Coordinates of all heavy atoms in Angstrom, one line a residue:
Q1 N -51.9 -115.5 -36.5 CA -52.5 -114.2 -36.3 C -51.6 -113.2 -35.4 O -51.5 -112.1 -35.6 CB -53.8 -114.4 -35.7 CG -54.6 -113.0 -35.6 CD -56.0 -113.3 -35.1 OE1 -56.5 -114.3 -34.9 NE2 -56.7 -112.1 -35.0
Y2 N -51.1 -113.9 -34.3 CA -50.2 -113.1 -33.3 C -49.0 -112.5 -34.1 O -48.7 -111.4 -33.9 CB -49.7 -114.0 -32.2 CG -48.8 -113.3 -31.4 CD1 -49.2 -112.3 -30.5 CD2 -47.4 -113.6 -31.3 CE1 -48.4 -111.6 -29.6 CE2 -46.5 -113.0 -30.4 CZ -47.0 -112.0 -29.6 OH -46.1 -111.4 -28.8
L3 N -48.4 -113.4 -34.9 CA -47.2 -113.0 -35.7 C -47.5 -111.8 -36.7 O -46.9 -110.9 -36.9 CB -46.5 -114.0 -36.5 CG -45.7 -115.0 -35.5 CD1 -45.2 -116.1 -36.4 CD2 -44.7 -114.3 -34.8
N4 N -48.8 -111.9 -37.3 CA -49.2 -110.8 -38.2 C -49.4 -109.6 -37.5 O -49.0 -108.4 -38.0 CB -50.5 -111.2 -38.8 CG -50.4 -112.3 -39.9 OD1 -49.3 -112.5 -40.4 ND2 -51.4 -112.9 -40.3
K5 N -49.9 -109.6 -36.3 CA -50.0 -108.3 -35.4 C -48.7 -107.8 -35.1 O -48.4 -106.5 -35.1 CB -50.9 -108.6 -34.3 CG -52.4 -108.8 -34.6 CD -53.1 -109.0 -33.2 CE -54.6 -109.1 -33.5 NZ -55.4 -109.5 -32.3
R6 N -47.8 -108.6 -34.7 CA -46.4 -108.2 -34.3 C -45.7 -107.5 -35.4 O -45.0 -106.5 -35.2 CB -45.6 -109.4 -33.8 CG -45.6 -109.5 -32.4 CD -44.6 -110.7 -32.0 NE -43.2 -110.2 -32.2 CZ -42.4 -110.0 -31.3 NH1 -42.7 -110.1 -30.1 NH2 -41.1 -109.6 -31.6
S7 N -45.9 -108.0 -36.6 CA -45.1 -107.4 -37.8 C -45.8 -106.2 -38.3 O -45.2 -105.5 -39.1 CB -44.9 -108.5 -38.9 OG -46.1 -108.8 -39.3
S8 N -47.0 -105.9 -37.9 CA -47.7 -104.7 -38.4 C -47.0 -103.4 -37.9 O -46.7 -103.3 -36.7 CB -49.1 -104.7 -37.9 OG -49.8 -103.5 -38.2
K9 N -47.0 -102.5 -38.8 CA -46.3 -101.2 -38.3 C -47.4 -100.2 -37.8 O -47.0 -99.3 -37.1 CB -45.6 -100.5 -39.5 CG -44.5 -101.4 -40.1 CD -43.2 -100.7 -40.0 CE -42.1 -101.5 -40.6 NZ -41.2 -102.1 -39.8
K10 N -48.6 -100.6 -37.9 CA -49.7 -99.7 -37.5 C -49.9 -99.8 -36.0 O -49.8 -100.9 -35.5 CB -51.0 -100.1 -38.1 CG -51.0 -99.8 -39.6 CD -52.4 -100.1 -40.2 CE -52.4 -99.9 -41.7 NZ -53.6 -100.4 -42.3
G11 N -50.1 -98.7 -35.2 CA -50.4 -98.8 -33.9 C -49.4 -99.1 -33.0 O -49.6 -99.5 -31.8
Q12 N -48.1 -98.9 -33.3 CA -47.0 -99.3 -32.4 C -46.9 -98.2 -31.3 O -46.9 -97.0 -31.6 CB -45.7 -99.3 -33.2 CG -45.6 -100.5 -34.1 CD -44.2 -100.8 -34.6 OE1 -43.2 -99.9 -34.4 NE2 -44.0 -101.8 -35.3
V13 N -46.7 -98.7 -30.2 CA -46.6 -97.8 -29.0 C -45.3 -97.2 -29.0 O -45.0 -96.0 -28.8 CB -46.9 -98.5 -27.7 CG1 -46.6 -97.6 -26.5 CG2 -48.3 -98.9 -27.6
N14 N -44.3 -98.0 -29.2 CA -42.9 -97.6 -29.2 C -42.5 -97.1 -30.6 O -42.3 -97.9 -31.5 CB -41.9 -98.7 -28.8 CG -40.5 -98.4 -28.7 OD1 -40.1 -97.2 -28.8 ND2 -39.7 -99.4 -28.6
T15 N -42.1 -95.8 -30.7 CA -41.8 -95.2 -32.0 C -40.3 -95.0 -32.2 O -39.9 -94.8 -33.4 CB -42.6 -93.9 -32.2 OG1 -42.3 -93.1 -31.1 CG2 -44.2 -94.1 -32.2
F16 N -39.5 -95.0 -31.1 CA -38.1 -94.7 -31.3 C -37.1 -95.3 -30.3 O -35.9 -95.3 -30.6 CB -38.0 -93.2 -31.4 CG -38.2 -92.5 -30.0 CD1 -37.0 -92.2 -29.2 CD2 -39.4 -92.1 -29.7 CE1 -37.3 -91.7 -27.9 CE2 -39.6 -91.5 -28.5 CZ -38.6 -91.2 -27.6
I17 N -37.6 -96.0 -29.4 CA -36.6 -96.5 -28.2 C -36.1 -97.9 -28.6 O -36.9 -98.8 -28.7 CB -37.3 -96.5 -26.9 CG1 -37.8 -95.2 -26.5 CG2 -36.5 -97.2 -25.8 CD1 -38.8 -95.1 -25.4
S18 N -34.8 -98.0 -28.8 CA -34.1 -99.3 -29.0 C -34.9 -100.2 -30.0 O -35.0 -101.3 -29.9 CB -34.0 -100.1 -27.7 OG -33.3 -99.4 -26.8
K19 N -35.2 -99.5 -31.2 CA -36.0 -100.3 -32.2 C -35.2 -101.4 -32.9 O -35.8 -102.3 -33.5 CB -36.4 -99.3 -33.4 CG -37.5 -98.2 -32.8 CD -38.7 -98.9 -32.3 CE -39.6 -99.3 -33.3 NZ -40.9 -99.8 -32.7
D20 N -33.9 -101.5 -32.6 CA -33.2 -102.7 -33.1 C -33.3 -103.8 -32.3 O -32.8 -105.0 -32.6 CB -31.7 -102.3 -33.4 CG -31.1 -101.7 -32.2 OD1 -31.8 -101.2 -31.2 OD2 -29.8 -101.8 -32.0
S21 N -33.9 -103.7 -31.1 CA -34.0 -104.9 -30.2 C -35.3 -105.5 -30.3 O -36.4 -104.8 -30.5 CB -33.9 -104.2 -28.8 OG -34.1 -105.2 -27.8
P22 N -35.4 -106.8 -30.2 CA -36.6 -107.6 -30.4 C -37.7 -107.2 -29.2 O -38.9 -107.4 -29.3 CB -36.3 -109.0 -30.3 CG -34.9 -109.1 -29.8 CD -34.3 -107.7 -30.0
K23 N -37.1 -106.8 -28.1 CA -37.9 -106.5 -26.8 C -37.2 -105.5 -26.1 O -36.0 -105.7 -25.8 CB -38.3 -107.8 -26.1 CG -39.1 -107.6 -25.0 CD -39.4 -108.8 -24.1 CE -40.1 -109.9 -24.9 NZ -40.3 -111.1 -24.0
V24 N -37.8 -104.5 -25.6 CA -37.3 -103.4 -24.7 C -37.6 -103.8 -23.2 O -38.8 -103.8 -22.9 CB -37.7 -102.1 -25.0 CG1 -37.1 -101.1 -24.0 CG2 -37.5 -101.7 -26.5
V25 N -36.6 -104.2 -22.5 CA -36.8 -104.6 -21.1 C -35.7 -103.8 -20.2 O -34.6 -103.7 -20.7 CB -36.5 -106.1 -20.9 CG1 -36.7 -106.5 -19.5 CG2 -37.6 -106.9 -21.8
H26 N -36.2 -103.3 -19.1 CA -35.1 -102.8 -18.2 C -35.5 -103.4 -16.8 O -36.6 -103.8 -16.5 CB -35.5 -101.2 -18.1 CG -35.2 -100.5 -19.3 ND1 -36.1 -100.2 -20.3 CD2 -34.1 -99.9 -19.8 CE1 -35.7 -99.6 -21.3 NE2 -34.3 -99.4 -20.9
C27 N -34.4 -103.6 -16.1 CA -34.4 -104.2 -14.7 C -33.6 -103.4 -13.8 O -32.4 -103.1 -14.1 CB -33.8 -105.7 -14.9 SG -34.0 -106.6 -13.3
F28 N -34.2 -103.1 -12.6 CA -33.6 -102.4 -11.6 C -33.6 -103.2 -10.3 O -34.6 -103.7 -10.0 CB -34.2 -100.9 -11.4 CG -34.0 -100.1 -12.6 CD1 -35.1 -100.1 -13.5 CD2 -32.9 -99.4 -12.9 CE1 -35.1 -99.3 -14.6 CE2 -32.9 -98.5 -14.0 CZ -34.0 -98.5 -14.8
D29 N -32.5 -103.1 -9.5 CA -32.6 -103.6 -8.2 C -33.2 -102.7 -7.2 O -33.0 -101.4 -7.3 CB -31.2 -104.0 -7.7 CG -30.6 -105.1 -8.3 OD1 -31.4 -106.0 -8.8 OD2 -29.3 -105.1 -8.6
M30 N -34.2 -103.1 -6.4 CA -34.9 -102.3 -5.5 C -33.9 -101.4 -4.7 O -34.2 -100.2 -4.4 CB -35.8 -103.1 -4.6 CG -36.9 -103.8 -5.3 SD -38.2 -102.6 -5.9 CE -39.0 -102.1 -4.5
E31 N -32.8 -102.0 -4.2 CA -31.9 -101.4 -3.4 C -31.2 -100.1 -4.1 O -30.7 -99.2 -3.5 CB -30.8 -102.4 -3.0 CG -31.3 -103.5 -2.0 CD -32.0 -104.6 -2.9 OE1 -32.0 -104.5 -4.1 OE2 -32.7 -105.4 -2.1
D32 N -31.2 -100.1 -5.4 CA -30.5 -99.1 -6.2 C -31.5 -97.9 -6.5 O -31.1 -96.9 -7.1 CB -29.9 -99.7 -7.4 CG -28.8 -100.6 -7.2 OD1 -28.3 -100.6 -6.0 OD2 -28.6 -101.5 -8.0
I33 N -32.7 -98.1 -6.3 CA -33.8 -97.0 -6.7 C -33.7 -95.8 -5.9 O -34.0 -94.7 -6.3 CB -35.2 -97.7 -6.7 CG1 -35.3 -98.7 -7.9 CG2 -36.3 -96.6 -6.8 CD1 -36.6 -99.4 -8.0
G34 N -33.4 -95.9 -4.6 CA -33.3 -94.8 -3.7 C -34.7 -94.6 -3.1 O -35.5 -95.4 -3.0
S35 N -34.9 -93.3 -2.8 CA -36.3 -93.1 -2.1 C -37.4 -93.0 -3.1 O -38.6 -93.0 -2.7 CB -36.2 -91.8 -1.3 OG -35.8 -90.7 -2.1
K36 N -37.1 -92.5 -4.4 CA -38.2 -92.4 -5.4 C -37.7 -92.5 -6.7 O -36.6 -92.1 -7.1 CB -38.8 -90.9 -5.1 CG -39.9 -90.7 -6.1 CD -40.4 -89.2 -5.9 CE -41.5 -88.7 -6.8 NZ -41.8 -87.4 -6.6
A37 N -38.4 -93.2 -7.7 CA -38.1 -93.2 -9.1 C -39.4 -93.1 -9.9 O -40.4 -93.5 -9.5 CB -37.5 -94.6 -9.3
V38 N -39.2 -92.4 -11.0 CA -40.4 -92.1 -11.8 C -40.1 -92.7 -13.3 O -39.3 -92.2 -14.0 CB -40.7 -90.6 -11.9 CG1 -42.0 -90.3 -12.7 CG2 -40.8 -90.0 -10.5
Y39 N -41.0 -93.7 -13.5 CA -40.8 -94.3 -14.8 C -41.8 -94.1 -15.9 O -43.1 -93.9 -15.6 CB -40.7 -96.0 -14.6 CG -39.7 -96.3 -13.8 CD1 -39.9 -96.7 -12.4 CD2 -38.4 -96.6 -14.2 CE1 -38.8 -97.1 -11.6 CE2 -37.3 -96.9 -13.4 CZ -37.5 -97.2 -12.0 OH -36.5 -97.6 -11.3
C40 N -41.3 -94.0 -17.2 CA -42.3 -93.5 -18.3 C -43.1 -94.7 -18.6 O -42.7 -95.9 -18.7 CB -41.3 -93.2 -19.4 SG -42.3 -92.9 -21.0
R41 N -44.3 -94.4 -18.8 CA -45.3 -95.4 -19.5 C -45.8 -95.0 -20.8 O -46.7 -95.7 -21.4 CB -46.5 -95.7 -18.5 CG -45.9 -96.3 -17.1 CD -47.1 -96.8 -16.3 NE -47.9 -95.8 -16.0 CZ -49.1 -95.9 -15.2 NH1 -49.4 -97.1 -14.8 NH2 -49.8 -94.9 -14.9
C42 N -45.5 -93.8 -21.4 CA -46.0 -93.3 -22.6 C -45.0 -93.6 -23.7 O -45.5 -93.4 -24.8 CB -46.2 -91.8 -22.5 SG -44.8 -90.8 -22.6
W43 N -43.8 -94.1 -23.5 CA -42.9 -94.3 -24.5 C -42.4 -93.1 -25.2 O -41.9 -93.2 -26.4 CB -43.4 -95.5 -25.4 CG -43.5 -96.7 -24.7 CD1 -44.5 -97.2 -24.0 CD2 -42.5 -97.8 -24.7 NE1 -44.3 -98.5 -23.4 CE2 -43.1 -98.9 -23.9 CE3 -41.3 -98.0 -25.3 CZ2 -42.3 -100.0 -23.7 CZ3 -40.6 -99.2 -25.1 CH2 -41.1 -100.2 -24.3
K44 N -42.5 -92.0 -24.7 CA -42.2 -90.8 -25.5 C -41.0 -90.1 -24.8 O -40.4 -89.1 -25.4 CB -43.3 -89.7 -25.5 CG -44.6 -90.2 -26.1 CD -44.4 -90.7 -27.5 CE -45.8 -91.2 -28.0 NZ -45.5 -92.2 -29.1
S45 N -40.4 -90.6 -23.6 CA -39.5 -89.9 -22.9 C -38.0 -90.1 -23.5 O -37.6 -91.1 -24.0 CB -39.3 -90.6 -21.5 OG -38.2 -90.1 -20.8
K46 N -37.3 -89.0 -23.6 CA -36.0 -89.0 -24.1 C -35.0 -89.6 -23.1 O -33.9 -90.0 -23.4 CB -35.5 -87.6 -24.5 CG -36.3 -86.9 -25.5 CD -36.2 -87.4 -26.9 CE -36.9 -86.7 -28.0 NZ -38.3 -86.7 -27.9
K47 N -35.5 -89.8 -21.9 CA -34.7 -90.5 -20.8 C -35.3 -91.8 -20.5 O -35.0 -92.4 -19.5 CB -34.7 -89.7 -19.6 CG -34.1 -88.3 -19.7 CD -34.2 -87.6 -18.3 CE -33.6 -86.1 -18.3 NZ -33.7 -85.5 -17.1
F48 N -36.0 -92.5 -21.4 CA -36.6 -93.7 -21.2 C -35.6 -94.8 -20.6 O -34.4 -94.8 -21.1 CB -37.1 -94.3 -22.5 CG -38.2 -95.3 -22.3 CD1 -39.4 -95.2 -22.1 CD2 -37.8 -96.7 -22.3 CE1 -40.5 -96.2 -21.9 CE2 -38.6 -97.8 -22.1 CZ -39.9 -97.5 -21.9
P49 N -35.9 -95.5 -19.6 CA -37.2 -95.8 -19.0 C -37.7 -94.7 -17.9 O -38.7 -95.0 -17.4 CB -37.0 -97.2 -18.4 CG -35.6 -97.2 -17.9 CD -34.9 -96.4 -19.0
L50 N -36.9 -93.6 -17.8 CA -37.4 -92.7 -16.8 C -38.3 -91.6 -17.5 O -38.1 -91.3 -18.7 CB -36.1 -92.1 -16.1 CG -35.2 -92.9 -15.4 CD1 -34.0 -92.2 -14.9 CD2 -35.9 -93.6 -14.2
C51 N -39.2 -91.2 -16.8 CA -40.1 -90.1 -17.3 C -39.3 -88.8 -17.3 O -38.7 -88.4 -16.3 CB -41.3 -90.0 -16.2 SG -42.4 -88.6 -16.7
D52 N -39.5 -88.1 -18.4 CA -38.9 -86.7 -18.5 C -40.0 -85.7 -18.8 O -39.7 -84.5 -19.0 CB -38.0 -86.6 -19.7 CG -38.5 -86.7 -21.0 OD1 -39.7 -87.0 -21.2 OD2 -37.8 -86.6 -22.1
G53 N -41.3 -86.0 -18.5 CA -42.5 -85.1 -18.7 C -42.9 -85.0 -20.1 O -44.1 -84.3 -20.3
S54 N -42.5 -85.9 -21.0 CA -43.0 -85.8 -22.3 C -44.4 -86.2 -22.5 O -45.1 -86.0 -23.4 CB -42.1 -86.7 -23.3 OG -40.8 -86.1 -23.4
H55 N -44.9 -87.0 -21.5 CA -46.3 -87.4 -21.5 C -47.2 -86.2 -21.6 O -48.3 -86.4 -22.1 CB -46.6 -88.3 -20.3 CG -46.4 -87.6 -19.0 ND1 -45.2 -87.7 -18.3 CD2 -47.2 -86.9 -18.3 CE1 -45.3 -87.0 -17.2 NE2 -46.5 -86.4 -17.2
A56 N -46.9 -85.1 -21.1 CA -47.7 -83.9 -21.0 C -48.0 -83.5 -22.5 O -49.2 -83.2 -22.9 CB -47.1 -82.9 -20.2
A57 N -47.0 -83.3 -23.3 CA -47.2 -82.9 -24.7 C -47.9 -84.0 -25.5 O -48.8 -83.7 -26.3 CB -45.7 -82.8 -25.3
H58 N -47.6 -85.3 -25.2 CA -48.4 -86.4 -25.8 C -49.9 -86.3 -25.5 O -50.7 -86.3 -26.4 CB -47.8 -87.7 -25.5 CG -48.7 -88.9 -25.8 ND1 -48.7 -89.4 -27.1 CD2 -49.6 -89.6 -25.0 CE1 -49.6 -90.5 -27.1 NE2 -50.1 -90.5 -25.9
N59 N -50.2 -86.1 -24.3 CA -51.6 -86.0 -23.9 C -52.2 -84.8 -24.4 O -53.3 -84.9 -24.9 CB -51.6 -85.9 -22.3 CG -51.3 -87.2 -21.7 OD1 -51.4 -88.3 -22.4 ND2 -51.1 -87.1 -20.3
E60 N -51.5 -83.7 -24.6 CA -52.1 -82.5 -25.1 C -52.3 -82.7 -26.7 O -53.4 -82.3 -27.2 CB -51.1 -81.3 -25.0 CG -51.5 -80.0 -25.5 CD -52.7 -79.3 -24.8 OE1 -52.8 -79.7 -23.5 OE2 -53.5 -78.6 -25.3
Q61 N -51.5 -83.4 -27.4 CA -51.6 -83.5 -28.8 C -52.5 -84.6 -29.2 O -53.3 -84.5 -30.3 CB -50.2 -84.0 -29.4 CG -49.1 -82.8 -29.3 CD -47.7 -83.4 -29.6 OE1 -47.5 -84.6 -29.9 NE2 -46.9 -82.5 -29.4
T62 N -52.8 -85.6 -28.4 CA -53.6 -86.7 -28.8 C -54.9 -86.9 -28.0 O -55.8 -87.6 -28.3 CB -52.8 -88.0 -28.6 OG1 -52.6 -88.2 -27.1 CG2 -51.5 -88.0 -29.3
G63 N -55.0 -86.1 -26.9 CA -56.2 -86.3 -26.0 C -56.1 -87.5 -25.1 O -57.1 -87.8 -24.4
D64 N -54.9 -88.1 -25.0 CA -54.6 -89.3 -24.3 C -54.5 -88.8 -22.8 O -54.5 -87.6 -22.5 CB -53.3 -89.9 -24.7 CG -53.4 -91.5 -24.5 OD1 -54.2 -92.0 -23.7 OD2 -52.5 -92.1 -25.1
N65 N -54.3 -89.7 -21.9 CA -54.3 -89.4 -20.5 C -53.2 -90.2 -19.7 O -53.4 -90.6 -18.6 CB -55.7 -89.6 -19.7 CG -56.1 -91.0 -19.8 OD1 -55.6 -91.8 -20.5 ND2 -57.2 -91.4 -19.0
V66 N -52.2 -90.5 -20.4 CA -51.1 -91.4 -19.8 C -50.1 -90.6 -18.9 O -50.0 -89.4 -19.0 CB -50.2 -92.1 -21.0 CG1 -51.2 -93.0 -21.7 CG2 -49.5 -91.1 -21.8
G67 N -49.5 -91.3 -18.0 CA -48.7 -90.7 -17.0 C -47.7 -91.8 -16.5 O -47.7 -92.9 -16.9
P68 N -46.7 -91.3 -15.6 CA -45.6 -92.2 -15.3 C -46.1 -93.3 -14.2 O -47.1 -93.0 -13.5 CB -44.6 -91.3 -14.7 CG -45.4 -90.1 -14.2 CD -46.6 -90.0 -15.2
L69 N -45.2 -94.1 -13.9 CA -45.3 -95.0 -12.7 C -44.3 -94.4 -11.7 O -43.1 -94.3 -12.1 CB -44.9 -96.4 -13.1 CG -44.6 -97.4 -11.9 CD1 -46.0 -97.7 -11.2 CD2 -44.0 -98.7 -12.4
I70 N -44.7 -94.2 -10.6 CA -43.9 -93.6 -9.5 C -43.7 -94.7 -8.4 O -44.8 -95.2 -7.9 CB -44.5 -92.3 -8.9 CG1 -44.7 -91.2 -10.0 CG2 -43.6 -91.8 -7.8 CD1 -45.4 -90.0 -9.5
I71 N -42.5 -95.0 -8.1 CA -42.2 -95.9 -7.1 C -41.4 -95.2 -6.0 O -40.5 -94.5 -6.3 CB -41.4 -97.1 -7.6 CG1 -42.2 -97.9 -8.7 CG2 -40.9 -98.0 -6.4 CD1 -41.4 -99.1 -9.2
K72 N -41.9 -95.2 -4.7 CA -41.3 -94.5 -3.7 C -41.4 -95.3 -2.4 O -42.3 -96.2 -2.2 CB -41.9 -93.1 -3.5 CG -43.4 -93.2 -3.1 CD -43.9 -91.8 -2.8 CE -45.3 -91.9 -2.4 NZ -45.8 -90.6 -1.8
K73 N -40.4 -95.0 -1.6 CA -40.5 -95.6 -0.3 C -41.5 -94.9 0.6 O -41.6 -93.7 0.4 CB -39.0 -95.5 0.4 CG -38.1 -96.6 -0.3 CD -36.8 -96.7 0.5 CE -35.9 -97.8 -0.2 NZ -34.5 -97.5 0.1
K74 N -42.0 -95.7 1.5 CA -43.1 -95.0 2.4 C -42.2 -94.1 3.4 O -41.1 -94.3 3.7 CB -43.7 -96.1 3.3 CG -44.7 -96.8 2.7 CD -45.5 -97.7 3.7 CE -46.7 -98.4 3.1 NZ -47.2 -99.4 3.9
D75 N -42.9 -92.9 3.6 CA -42.3 -92.0 4.6 C -42.3 -92.8 6.0 O -43.3 -93.5 6.4 CB -43.3 -90.8 4.7 CG -43.2 -90.0 3.4 OD1 -42.3 -90.0 2.7 OD2 -44.3 -89.3 3.1
P76 N -41.2 -92.6 6.6 CA -41.0 -93.2 8.0 C -42.1 -92.8 9.0 O -42.6 -91.7 8.9 CB -39.6 -93.0 8.4 CG -39.2 -91.8 7.5 CD -40.0 -91.7 6.3
Ligands
FES1 FE1 -43.5 -91.0 -20.5 FE2 -43.7 -89.2 -18.5 S1 -42.4 -89.1 -20.2 S2 -44.8 -91.0 -18.7

């Protein structure tokens, strides 16, 4: 049943990012992030895995409410 769901084309979240790859994974070292990083969770960003604001158009078109993951260092 799991494989049937995986091979289904219906309801895919990822519509264009690295579709030739069996799994899209990104890894960053904490030390390289700097003071703030904004990561896409809607899978519509042209700068994926970074957010480029495309979630706003997606939300407008679909009524969805997705947004980015923001990682930042605490203010001293
Ligand atoms: Fe995807 Fe902002 S573009 S969360």
Side-chain angles (χ1 to χ4, degrees):
Q1 184 176 0
Y2 175 71
L3 287 176
N4 285 343
K5 284 183 180 176
R6 261 186 69 109
S7 62
S8 171
K9 299 243 186 250
K10 292 181 181 175
Q12 290 190 356
V13 172
N14 179 14
T15 55
F16 66 93
I17 299 163
S18 302
K19 293 303 281 184
D20 55 335
S21 173
K23 185 186 294 182
V24 180
V25 177
H26 296 90
C27 183
F28 298 92
D29 289 329
M30 295 292 288
E31 294 78 10
D32 295 335
I33 288 178
S35 61
K36 182 180 174 185
V38 184
Y39 295 102
C40 176
R41 294 192 298 179
C42 75
W43 292 83
K44 306 300 179 202
S45 175
K46 302 290 188 287
K47 296 180 178 178
F48 197 88
L50 300 177
C51 172
D52 70 352
S54 294
H55 59 266
H58 166 78
N59 288 343
E60 182 70 27
Q61 293 166 2
T62 64
D64 210 344
N65 64 347
V66 296
L69 167 66
I70 301 173
I71 298 178
K72 62 178 185 166
K73 288 190 174 155
K74 281 185 179 175
D75 294 330

